[in-house]
């Protein structure tokens, strides 16, 4: 069995998400040729499971786990194929807790992942919950990992905020608003706004 676990940020379209998942596990199957099996040794193909963890989802999808899998169903007659023979691909989507319903899910898997991957709880809060609710002793290595993840999520937040502020500043500059005004409205430094303004002028010349 080959298991892939990853985080997914863009979950706006279920149709696109599921089809991307099917495409992904299909490639995981085809990539086994030449390593796990050769020529027509298809019985040696390993089952593939891709688990997608979605930290930020719409309220109606939050606190849920769904899966797609490949199975064979009889259409006519009494012949039936063993499910294990055809159940080779699975995509499991884990939608974590909704921000407005934190700490209220009854599913322990969702709760555990929501705490561990939260970008709002501090490392100290995470440690306390994991030890108290899940009886997980935080080793030095785990604590280090939790702190690194927290720092990374905060950096991502800052980057996202900065990108949004620059887009807002760009629109204000296009409306010929003064640099001091744009800086005040976007909370960017005047140097950053000035740099954005110069970039706009250069683009216009090109």
């Amino acid at each position: 069995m080959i298991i892939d676990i990853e985080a997914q940020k863009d979950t706006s379209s279920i149709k696109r998400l599921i089809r991307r998942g099917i495409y992904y596990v299909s490639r995981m199957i085809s990539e086994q040729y030449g390593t796990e099996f050769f020529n027509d040794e298809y019985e040696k193909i390993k089952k593939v499971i891709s688990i997608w963890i979605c930290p930020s989802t719409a309220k109606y999808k939050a606190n849920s786990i769904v899966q797609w899998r490949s199975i064979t169903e009889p259409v006519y007659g009494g012949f039936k194929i063993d499910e294990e023979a055809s159940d080779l691909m699975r995509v499991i989507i884990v939608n974590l807790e909704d921000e407005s319903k934190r700490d209220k899910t009854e599913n322990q898997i969702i709760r555990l992942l929501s705490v561990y991957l939260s970008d709002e709880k501090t490392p100290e809060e995470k440690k306390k919950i994991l030890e108290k609710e899940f009886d997980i002793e935080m080793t030095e290595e785990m604590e280090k990992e939790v702190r690194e993840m927290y720092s990374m999520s905060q950096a991502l937040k800052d980057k996202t905020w900065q990108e949004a502020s620059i887009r807002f500043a760009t629109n204000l500059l296009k409306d010929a608003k003064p640099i001091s005004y744009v800086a005040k409205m976007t909370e960017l430094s005047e140097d950053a706004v000035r740099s954005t303004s110069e970039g706009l002028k250069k683009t216009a010349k090109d």
Side-chain angles (χ1 to χ4, degrees):
M1 185 182 297
I2 300 173
I3 300 177
D4 164 72
I5 303 177
E6 58 184 82
Q8 292 292 327
K9 185 178 180 181
D10 183 10
T11 61
S12 55
S13 171
I14 290 295
K15 183 177 180 180
R16 183 170 66 246
L17 190 66
I18 291 294
R19 293 189 178 188
R20 184 154 56 92
I22 294 172
Y23 170 77
Y24 196 82
V25 291
S26 297
R27 287 193 61 182
M28 290 172 68
I29 289 286
S30 64
E31 287 172 354
Q32 292 181 47
Y33 184 79
T35 56
E36 302 297 337
F37 74 99
F38 300 84
N39 300 322
D40 60 350
E41 301 173 323
Y42 299 109
E43 71 279 358
K44 293 184 178 180
I45 294 176
K46 289 185 176 180
K47 180 176 182 176
V48 297
I49 299 177
S50 188
I51 303 173
W52 292 9
I53 301 172
C54 306
S56 302
T57 58
K59 288 184 179 181
Y60 73 94
K61 291 185 289 186
N63 300 331
S64 65
I65 301 175
V66 295
Q67 79 166 340
W68 171 89
R69 63 178 179 145
S70 60
I71 58 172
T72 302
E73 296 180 341
V75 177
Y76 177 77
F79 174 66
K80 185 178 180 181
I81 297 177
D82 182 10
E83 183 177 307
E84 186 180 350
S86 60
D87 185 16
L88 287 178
M89 298 187 292
R90 292 197 185 199
V91 180
I92 300 173
I93 300 174
V94 182
N95 296 307
L96 300 188
E97 292 181 289
D98 174 55
E99 290 293 337
S100 63
K101 298 179 180 178
R102 288 286 181 190
D103 308 335
K104 294 184 180 180
T105 182
E106 295 179 358
N107 185 282
Q108 292 300 292
I109 294 175
I110 293 177
R111 171 65 175 155
L112 174 60
L113 290 172
S114 295
V115 170
Y116 193 71
L117 299 176
S118 173
D119 58 2
E120 295 190 356
K121 288 182 171 59
T122 65
E124 289 72 23
E125 290 174 321
K126 291 182 182 182
K127 179 182 178 181
K128 185 177 180 180
I129 294 172
L130 291 173
E131 290 180 340
K132 183 178 180 180
E133 293 187 22
F134 300 98
D135 198 25
I136 297 176
E137 185 178 351
M138 294 287 285
T139 63
E140 289 186 11
E141 185 177 349
M142 285 182 67
E143 281 196 55
K144 181 182 177 182
E145 184 176 313
V146 167
R147 291 184 182 280
E148 287 177 350
M149 288 176 63
Y150 181 76
S151 297
M152 189 163 56
S153 66
Q154 294 303 308
L156 183 60
K157 269 187 173 181
D158 292 342
K159 182 180 178 182
T160 303
W161 173 84
Q162 187 175 28
E163 289 174 349
S165 297
I166 290 174
R167 286 197 297 271
F168 184 30
T170 299
N171 290 331
L172 291 174
L173 290 168
K174 285 180 179 179
D175 290 337
K177 299 296 183 182
I179 287 177
S180 58
Y181 174 82
V182 175
K184 182 179 179 181
M185 293 300 294
T186 60
E187 296 185 10
L188 292 171
S189 67
E190 290 195 7
D191 286 340
V193 175
R194 196 171 288 107
S195 178
T196 302
S197 177
E198 290 172 358
L200 276 175
K201 292 176 182 177
K202 184 178 179 181
T203 302
K205 289 180 180 179
D206 295 340

